[in-house]
Amino acid sequence: MLLTDLFKQGEFVITSEVGPPKGCSLETLLDRADKYLRCVHAINVTDCQASVMKLGSLATCKALLDNGHTPVLQLTCRDRNRIALQSDLLSAAYFGINNVLLLTGDHTTLGDAPNSKPVYDLDSVSLLKAASMLESGSDLDGNKLTGSAPKFAKGAVVSPCSDSVNAQLHKMDAKVRAGAEFFQTQTVYDPERFISFISRAKSFGVPVMLGIVILKSARMAEFMNKNIAGVSIPQFIIDELAADPERAKSGETGVEIAARVIKECRPYCQGLHIMPLGLEDKVPQLLECL
Amino acid sequence: MQDYTKFKLKSNNELSLLLEGKDNLLVLSCNKCFKPFDGSCANEPELDDFLAIARDLGVNVTAAQRVDFLCNSHRLSKLLSNLPYQASAIVVISCGIGVQSVAELAKIPVYTACDSIKDSGNHGISLTDKQCDACGQCFLSTTNGICPVTQCSKGLLTGQCGGSKNGKCETDAEKDCAWEQIISQKSLDHNANSNDIMPAIMNDFTQLDDICVYNYNKISKHDTADLALQIQKKRDESFYGGLYLKHRKVFSAFLTLQKFPLPEKVVLPMSQHAGMSAEPIVRVGDYVMVGQKIGEAVGTLSSSVHASVSGVVSEIASYRHLTAQHETVCVTIISDGKDKLHKSVIPIPYWEDLDIYDIDAIIAEKGIVGMGGAGFPTPIKLKAQKPIDTILLNGCESEPYITADHRIMLEYADDIINGLKIILKCTGAKQGIIVISDNKSDAIRHLEAKTDEIDDIFVMALWSKYPQGAERMLIARALGRKLEPGQRPYDVGTIVLNVSTARAIGDAFTRGMPLIERAVTVSGEKVRNKGNYMVRIGTSALKLLDYCGVEDDAEIRLGGVMMGSLLDNFDVPVIKGTNAVIATSRSITWSSDCIKCGRCVNVCPMELLPLYYPHYEATDNFSAMAQMNVNHCIECACCDYICPSGIDITGAVRKGKKNLC
Amino acid sequence: MLITKVKPVDEILPLVSGRVIALCCEGCSEVHYPEKDVVAVLNKIMVSGTDNAIFELVYMCSQEHLDLYLQNNADLLNEFDTILVASCGVGVQALCGKVRNVSSATVISVCDTLKVPGFQGLTPFKFDCALCGECHLNETAAICPITSCAKSLLGGGCGGAKNGMCETDSAVECGWERIYKRLALYNPPTP
């Protein structure tokens, strides 16, 4: 199932996200996905998120697919040159993994292998272009593919609450021109900024899925404010989390906050991307609130 | 100023592993480049630190030496071949280039004690925070002059990643996000006051025909290596250092020599030459004629001076000519316009029957001095103390703009050849070679044709590289003989004379005319009627400029743009060594601190370390300048020309020389 | 201007509009300046002639010099819509950073800067240093594997060398072959 088809049918598309383990067992991940993530249209699988070396995204996607889920393959430019990236896209297509989210990727110095060589042979835009070209039957260098061409739903990311919205819009424009068909956003807690962003981004005519992280504590919120790019959590939300730390820890407060934000933003977006960061069990509850 | 240190000592652990079991080491430590230069070469801490570590480890260091610009292979090979000791291995404290340079030349193992650190700005030579990765696919046109390759930590080509926070990079909270800057520049440009800048951005970027992708194969390593070697070969051609200057000779190269109108007045300095000033032998009120001796040579190193017009002596007074160090007596003659020849001006066609002493005496009597600029009395030069086998006639004229010698060679070839024959006879040399730069192909052809039938006179064409015309360079190139510092051309069996000097000698015999006129090029972008003129000695430069027409805002030099003197008062007489008056656009003068880039060392044909001179000059430390061989400097000004900090190095050299003599 | 190569005209032309001024940096002229190529390309771009101008200056990368130059030529530069810059990347960046104070013209880079050995050391074009900060020369007989091996391999030759030449270019000697040779010179095999 292509996410783009759902958008075309007017569906409010909902996705969530899992991060593969640092190890070679997928049991827990598949178990939790089965228990809690049957309620979403598709599940993103991160690609060594935050530059921490982990089990591969492609293998995890395949395992989810075999278990009856619809995976979204996240693919970053950090670790592979254009040969490997295009090859992985073909591999994904072979497995029937057609939903892809193409990103630049966090810098290598941020993760647990900071001495490694950052690649960035391509970036998110040229990777989108590469995927588009594969769909048209050739690779980025114009060499013909044999057999039938692959078909992807090509996703990209954007940060609506970034402190440099202009730069984000510029990049979004480039991504759309390179073939991006839908966008997932960085987590949003300030509907006003999201709405103002959408008012400028809607001219691109590409569906945008609101990103949301379920917050667990005031400290987590403060940490994200300080360190995570494109995240800005208003003080009253932090206060709300601080008011009852136990309840916040259980995820109840976070779900309430998320539900509020989603309700306000829903008229302005075409989908929802929930990043549970370990609170997969809260995803069904959050969706019920809507 | 930031210290652009390029390397740092490896960790103690690593060094102790490296030095384990090693013995009898030679340590070479580079004094670094691209750093504020304080004139001291002993302040880099790495060498002492390393020696302390070696001592702690009980490693025997035989010798340690600090070196300026260790990567300069030319200097390095001399250093290594003159080492008084035999080490079993060399440890190098320098960047990777220095280490590799030593390893290439040394026949023993070479180790490095350092790691090199990437700095910025080194391509551009002057210190700056700008970096260029030399990727061979410049994107700056589309990124507002902010380089995404070097300034973005991921080298992204199409826009900001999601990692920027508060305008800073995800890898470093201190570092500005390059793409944020690129985008904010764009918005500034197009719509400074509007909140809605989207259309501008979008329009701007749809201009890009396609999406930027790196092309790592655009420039092959092979090609760049080839190019590098070609450049190096060209640089090493004929002599170390020097410059390929723009010739700018086309302005006047094809204009035939014109007789410059007789001036109403000439001012004849009694010192137009190296050595003692001549003594005036006329008095105010005397009537003198063309070619009449008015100043008598005094002592062994001197030259007589002759009237260049006929008329009355109006003044004998001291002035300072800008090319001389001191004031000199000048004889002013008001021309009567009749240009009457003095009775002493009679041809001497029978020179072949004269003995060499008579010939030399005539050359002396006719006041002939070197016309290339230095003005060394020719008869003294010809009386060499050692056997001479070859006379070199210098027709290189490697200074930009100047074409006086070029025209002389084309229009006075017979006089030149005649002069050369006389010189050969006078010195007993076996052969005479007229050396001409290959940018004067017509002169080469002309003189080749003229000398075809003459057994002992040849023409040699040389690649034009500045300062090819300097004695040492010329001898090295034409004869393959190397002059050690302090040596004179006669030490290697040769004498170098300017082609104009040869013409003057020829003229002194065929017409009997003393040196009273010379060819002068008036050129430069700011001169309206450029040309080459036969000018009477003593004519004011102001006269020439008025005659040719000069724009107001010009910068005017007597002599070439490299070695000539900048004029503030234009009313100075043309003297025997004046080959040009050049008016160019006013150059922007600026100067900043020395950044120790080493380019002056790289271009100095005398293989000196010019960067030290301005530094010592600033503190009047002339003995230090002498130790750095300031007297070997030929003042070719290559260092001034290339200095990215705009430092007047030659000025410092002149001051140093003046104080030392 | 250090080592540069002029871009193809087609690459520059679409970016050019209005009155055009070209600034050519001749600072590092003792090294290499592709003067003829620059003039040829500029002549193709600046067709109309009268509306255009070419100026030479030295060391565009020198802050002091550039400040003075811009100060003296502010009025002139303001008359143009496009500034073509023939310089290395450092020069272009330096100019762009400052020129906005005096002119709103678009700055276009005419050259590609080439990576040429010896940049950092200036003289010895034979050697290159990647300034990687972790020098390997001690293990490699002082021949840099990062710059002399096409793959920047640190652990030895890759097996792609044929007759001692690199698999990427049969005219380039394999860096590791050179390293092995010199190592043998340093430590002759004991019989």
Side-chain angles (χ1 to χ4, degrees):
Chain A
M1 177 187 62
L2 288 169
L3 291 185
T4 41
D5 290 341
L6 293 178
F7 285 118
K8 268 179 217 148
Q9 291 156 22
E11 193 84 35
F12 187 76
V13 181
I14 297 168
T15 54
S16 188
E17 177 172 304
V18 292
K22 197 171 177 79
C24 51
S25 163
L26 278 177
E27 249 168 73
T28 323
L29 182 142
L30 291 174
D31 190 41
R32 288 176 76 85
D34 274 343
K35 263 194 201 146
Y36 308 119
L37 300 180
R38 288 281 174 203
C39 53
V40 296
H41 290 108
I43 306 169
N44 282 26
V45 182
T46 54
D47 176 11
C48 298
Q49 192 172 22
S51 302
V52 176
M53 193 285 294
K54 286 181 171 176
L55 185 80
S57 175
L58 186 56
T60 311
C61 282
K62 171 76 168 111
L64 284 171
L65 186 69
D66 291 348
N67 275 23
H69 297 278
T70 304
V72 178
L73 175 76
Q74 293 195 186
L75 197 58
T76 71
C77 301
R78 177 190 55 226
D79 311 319
R80 306 166 184 82
N81 66 9
R82 66 193 81 177
I83 299 175
L85 286 167
Q86 295 180 96
S87 170
D88 279 0
L89 282 171
L90 292 183
S91 302
Y94 169 75
F95 283 141
I97 300 162
N98 296 323
N99 297 304
V100 291
L101 189 78
L102 305 176
L103 319 98
T104 299
D106 293 328
H107 199 275
T108 45
T109 52
L110 304 187
D112 66 350
N115 298 340
S116 57
K117 180 179 182 181
V119 179
Y120 304 114
D121 179 24
L122 299 185
D123 60 15
S124 50
V125 176
S126 39
L127 180 55
L128 282 158
K129 179 78 180 170
S132 304
M133 289 191 69
L134 291 175
E135 287 178 307
S136 68
S138 74
D139 64 16
L140 198 58
D141 292 290
N143 306 306
K144 290 270 165 294
L145 303 182
T146 56
S148 60
K151 175 74 196 121
F152 300 108
K154 302 181 292 297
V157 292
V158 69
S159 292
C161 303
S162 163
D163 32 63
S164 47
V165 173
N166 290 330
Q168 286 295 315
L169 286 166
H170 154 253
K171 185 81 173 242
M172 193 177 176
D173 172 38
K175 285 179 176 178
V176 171
R177 285 189 295 113
E181 293 163 299
F182 68 91
F183 282 85
Q184 291 180 342
T185 77
Q186 176 60 285
T187 185
V188 171
Y189 295 101
D190 188 340
E192 216 170 290
R193 280 173 82 170
F194 179 77
I195 293 162
S196 117
F197 172 83
I198 289 297
S199 72
R200 293 170 71 186
K202 68 179 176 215
S203 60
F204 295 126
V206 177
V208 174
M209 300 169 75
L210 174 79
I212 195 93
V213 167
I214 302 173
L215 292 169
K216 273 184 272 193
S217 68
R219 242 188 75 211
M220 177 190 183
E222 276 160 359
F223 176 87
M224 286 172 75
N225 257 355
K226 190 160 172 269
N227 298 306
I228 309 292
V231 177
S232 123
I233 306 171
Q235 189 56 43
F236 75 90
I237 289 185
I238 299 175
D239 295 342
E240 206 174 327
L241 288 160
D244 188 346
E246 279 309 306
R247 187 161 180 273
K249 202 176 167 192
S250 72
E252 297 293 326
T253 323
V255 166
E256 270 175 34
I257 294 166
R260 243 177 20 231
V261 172
I262 296 165
K263 273 179 196 153
E264 272 194 68
C265 296
R266 184 162 180 161
Y268 302 93
C269 57
Q270 291 72 40
L272 174 64
H273 177 62
I274 306 163
M275 293 164 268
L277 304 181
L279 292 179
E280 287 87 359
D281 51 323
K282 293 287 166 201
V283 172
Q285 189 190 335
L286 174 60
L287 292 180
E288 274 166 32
C289 294
L290 299 179
Chain B
M1 190 156 67
Q2 194 185 336
D3 191 346
Y4 284 72
T5 302
K6 304 184 70 170
F7 51 85
K8 63 175 191 335
L9 221 50
K10 284 176 179 282
S11 70
N12 285 13
N13 278 345
E14 208 175 328
L15 285 176
S16 61
L17 278 172
L18 170 71
L19 294 176
E20 203 179 293
K22 299 219 167 50
D23 191 27
N24 186 18
L25 296 177
L26 163 64
V27 182
L28 293 179
S29 171
C30 182
N31 288 337
K32 295 181 183 169
C33 53
F34 292 102
K35 60 188 291 291
F37 177 55
D38 61 2
S40 163
C41 53
N43 60 350
E44 300 306 334
E46 286 84 1
L47 178 60
D48 291 338
D49 293 352
F50 176 82
L51 292 177
I53 293 167
R55 203 163 41 239
D56 290 349
L57 294 167
V59 174
N60 168 28
V61 172
T62 310
Q65 189 155 353
R66 294 177 188 273
V67 186
D68 276 306
F69 308 108
L70 189 60
C71 61
N72 187 320
S73 297
H74 183 83
R75 300 177 64 88
L76 182 65
S77 65
K78 282 187 177 175
L79 177 94
L80 289 176
S81 60
N82 292 331
L83 283 177
Y85 27 77
Q86 187 60 48
S88 59
I90 302 177
V91 175
V92 182
I93 299 173
S94 108
C95 77
I97 293 186
V99 183
Q100 293 178 76
S101 303
V102 176
E104 171 93 351
L105 293 166
K107 297 283 173 262
I108 50 177
V110 172
Y111 302 103
T112 172
C114 292
D115 290 326
S116 308
I117 307 155
K118 207 157 206 140
D119 61 5
S120 34
N122 52 33
H123 305 293
I125 302 313
S126 87
L127 296 181
T128 156
D129 56 354
K130 306 293 186 296
Q131 267 189 326
C132 172
D133 198 45
C135 66
Q137 40 192 329
C138 198
F139 301 98
L140 289 166
S141 299
T142 51
T143 55
N144 270 295
I146 297 166
C147 177
V149 180
T150 56
Q151 313 289 333
C152 168
S153 62
K154 299 176 183 175
L156 302 180
L157 298 180
T158 53
Q160 191 184 46
C161 72
S164 152
K165 179 104 181 161
N166 303 322
K168 302 292 179 186
C169 177
E170 71 177 32
T171 64
D172 183 351
E174 303 280 297
K175 185 183 171 305
D176 286 331
C177 167
W179 271 100
E180 176 120 359
Q181 289 182 313
I182 294 170
I183 298 298
S184 65
Q185 280 279 9
K186 282 235 174 277
S187 24
L188 253 174
D189 278 0
H190 291 273
N191 222 336
N193 297 320
S194 167
N195 289 325
D196 189 6
I197 55 160
M198 265 310 285
I201 293 173
M202 288 170 72
N203 287 341
D204 217 73
F205 269 78
T206 40
Q207 284 175 9
L208 286 182
D209 50 2
D210 208 346
I211 288 150
C212 289
V213 183
Y214 282 107
N215 178 354
Y216 289 103
N217 202 24
K218 186 167 177 181
I219 310 292
S220 89
K221 246 188 169 170
H222 184 203
D223 291 348
T224 50
D226 262 7
L227 178 63
L229 288 177
Q230 267 172 37
I231 298 165
Q232 185 66 47
K233 203 177 144 206
K234 198 177 157 198
R235 302 242 316 101
D236 289 343
E237 176 75 24
S238 79
F239 56 90
Y240 172 86
L243 291 165
Y244 290 92
L245 299 169
K246 285 192 170 179
H247 305 312
R248 303 186 198 269
K249 291 182 190 279
V250 69
F251 294 133
S252 57
F254 307 111
L255 303 174
T256 48
L257 277 162
Q258 308 279 321
K259 285 258 172 228
F260 191 76
L262 267 189
E264 301 94 62
K265 175 184 101 168
V266 291
V267 177
L268 297 163
M270 291 293 106
S271 176
Q272 305 181 25
H273 47 264
M276 296 285 286
S277 198
E279 194 69 47
I281 52 170
V282 288
R283 274 175 300 186
V284 174
D286 284 1
Y287 182 80
V288 294
M289 287 186 269
V290 176
Q292 179 179 345
K293 194 194 281 180
I294 57 163
E296 187 73 71
V298 176
T300 44
L301 188 63
S302 183
S303 176
S304 45
V305 179
H306 300 76
S308 54
V309 292
S310 60
V312 177
V313 176
S314 68
E315 188 192 45
I316 299 176
S318 275
Y319 293 108
R320 188 181 163 272
H321 190 268
L322 81 165
T323 54
Q325 301 279 9
H326 310 286
E327 281 201 342
T328 177
V329 174
C330 296
V331 174
T332 306
I333 305 168
I334 304 294
S335 170
D336 62 1
K338 294 184 180 137
D339 215 21
K340 274 196 209 151
L341 270 192
H342 190 249
K343 61 178 191 300
S344 65
V345 181
I346 42 167
I348 313 165
Y350 47 87
W351 60 267
E352 287 182 63
D353 304 331
L354 297 174
D355 69 26
I356 57 172
Y357 300 103
D358 292 339
I359 293 176
D360 207 61
I362 293 166
I363 293 171
E365 186 61 24
K366 298 295 180 189
I368 291 166
V369 303
M371 292 169 76
F376 194 85
T378 307
I380 315 294
K381 209 179 214 180
L382 296 179
K383 275 187 280 191
Q385 294 153 12
K386 295 194 178 164
I388 301 300
D389 56 53
T390 306
I391 301 295
L392 293 177
L393 275 199
N394 183 357
C396 290
E397 212 168 36
S398 53
E399 276 247 15
Y401 295 105
I402 307 179
T403 53
D405 286 350
H406 184 182
R407 295 313 308 180
I408 287 284
M409 288 189 280
L410 285 172
E411 298 174 42
Y412 291 88
D414 292 335
D415 275 346
I416 293 172
I417 292 163
N418 208 24
L420 181 52
K421 283 179 181 167
I422 295 166
I423 298 162
L424 287 175
K425 157 115 187 169
C426 184
T427 55
K430 290 197 306 288
Q431 58 170 356
I433 304 175
I434 307 171
V435 190
I436 308 170
S437 289
D438 62 358
N439 58 5
K440 294 180 260 294
S441 53
D442 50 352
I444 295 169
R445 280 197 306 274
H446 185 63
L447 279 166
E448 269 173 355
K450 287 273 185 187
T451 56
D452 202 28
E453 304 282 293
I454 307 170
D455 290 338
D456 52 359
I457 296 181
F458 309 95
V459 173
M460 182 186 275
L462 289 187
W463 205 358
S464 50
K465 176 177 168 184
Y466 180 84
Q468 183 93 270
E471 265 180 2
R472 266 156 217 282
M473 317 311 147
L474 197 67
I475 293 168
R477 183 67 207 279
L479 300 175
R481 300 177 192 170
K482 189 149 172 44
L483 252 67
E484 293 307 321
Q487 275 191 320
R488 295 256 160 220
Y490 58 67
D491 290 318
V492 294
T494 186
I495 292 173
V496 181
L497 291 163
N498 188 271
V499 287
S500 281
T501 316
R503 183 207 70 85
I505 292 173
D507 203 32
F509 286 82
T510 47
R511 282 202 296 153
M513 185 61 82
L515 180 42
I516 56 137
E517 65 177 352
R518 67 153 301 141
V520 178
T521 300
V522 184
S523 184
E525 288 81 358
K526 294 285 182 181
V527 175
R528 285 190 210 96
N529 304 306
K530 302 162 183 74
N532 303 294
Y533 300 93
M534 285 305 274
V535 181
R536 295 293 165 92
I537 305 294
T539 307
S540 169
L542 190 62
K543 234 22 222 167
L544 268 75
L545 293 169
D546 282 350
Y547 183 79
C548 298
V550 162
E551 287 163 42
D552 288 342
D553 54 341
E555 203 168 72
I556 293 161
R557 281 183 179 78
L558 209 57
V561 285
M562 297 295 287
M563 294 184 76
S565 325
L566 194 61
L567 295 184
D568 39 16
N569 165 26
F570 307 145
D571 193 12
V572 291
V574 166
I575 60 171
K576 292 173 182 175
T578 308
N579 49 6
V581 180
I582 308 289
T584 52
S585 313
R586 205 159 278 280
S587 51
I588 295 173
T589 48
W590 87 103
S591 91
S592 49
D593 295 338
C594 174
I595 56 167
K596 214 181 174 201
C597 68
R599 321 200 82 188
C600 53
V601 181
N602 214 2
V603 297
C604 177
M606 296 305 292
E607 305 174 26
L608 303 169
L609 292 166
L611 70 161
Y612 282 91
Y613 301 138
H615 181 77
Y616 289 143
E617 186 248 2
T619 53
D620 287 347
N621 189 353
F622 300 113
S623 59
M625 279 172 105
Q627 269 176 17
M628 301 295 283
N629 297 320
V630 70
N631 284 320
H632 296 171
C633 174
I634 56 170
E635 298 176 32
C636 66
C638 284
C639 50
D640 291 348
Y641 183 90
I642 208 70
C643 179
S645 295
I647 300 170
D648 178 17
I649 303 172
T650 311
V653 166
R654 290 202 184 105
K655 190 175 161 197
K657 282 182 176 175
K658 196 175 163 185
N659 277 280
L660 284 167
C661 72
Chain C
M1 148 105 43
L2 234 152
I3 317 280
T4 52
K5 185 168 167 280
V6 181
K7 283 176 181 281
V9 182
D10 304 346
E11 210 173 303
I12 308 166
L13 263 182
L15 303 166
V16 174
S17 64
R19 298 192 64 195
V20 182
I21 183 172
L23 300 181
C24 306
C25 177
E26 300 189 353
C28 308
S29 55
E30 98 285 22
V31 185
H32 180 65
Y33 176 60
E35 187 190 339
K36 281 182 188 150
D37 299 345
V38 168
V39 170
V41 164
L42 291 182
N43 285 342
K44 276 186 205 163
I45 298 169
M46 306 163 102
V47 257
S48 69
T50 49
D51 266 8
N52 306 319
I54 300 181
F55 284 89
E56 290 151 6
L57 67 163
V58 292
Y59 295 116
M60 204 179 277
C61 55
S62 161
Q63 309 283 332
E64 292 88 351
H65 184 214
L66 194 59
D67 282 340
L68 256 172
Y69 181 83
L70 293 176
Q71 193 185 315
N72 290 356
N73 294 286
D75 295 342
L76 174 81
L77 290 172
N78 218 358
E79 288 173 27
F80 294 90
D81 305 300
T82 302
I83 302 176
L84 295 174
V85 185
S87 158
C88 73
V90 177
V92 181
Q93 292 179 75
L95 182 82
C96 273
K98 290 180 181 286
V99 79
R100 254 156 249 292
N101 301 331
V102 298
S103 164
S104 57
T106 317
V107 178
I108 307 292
S109 163
V110 176
C111 297
D112 288 328
T113 310
L114 302 186
K115 196 150 209 148
V116 165
F119 252 140
Q120 300 85 1
L122 280 175
T123 16
F125 284 101
K126 267 192 273 180
F127 309 109
D128 199 5
C129 171
L131 300 171
C132 66
E134 41 179 359
C135 201
H136 302 278
L137 291 172
N138 287 336
E139 298 90 56
T140 56
I143 293 169
C144 176
I146 295 177
T147 56
S148 69
C149 167
K151 299 177 182 171
S152 295
L153 301 179
L154 299 179
C158 65
K162 179 113 180 152
N163 303 321
M165 294 301 178
C166 177
E167 70 177 33
T168 65
D169 187 341
S170 61
V172 172
E173 203 179 351
C174 164
W176 274 99
E177 291 271 339
R178 285 173 53 211
I179 293 170
Y180 294 140
K181 269 190 214 158
R182 194 183 283 166
L183 279 173
L185 197 76
Y186 283 179
N187 309 305
T190 40

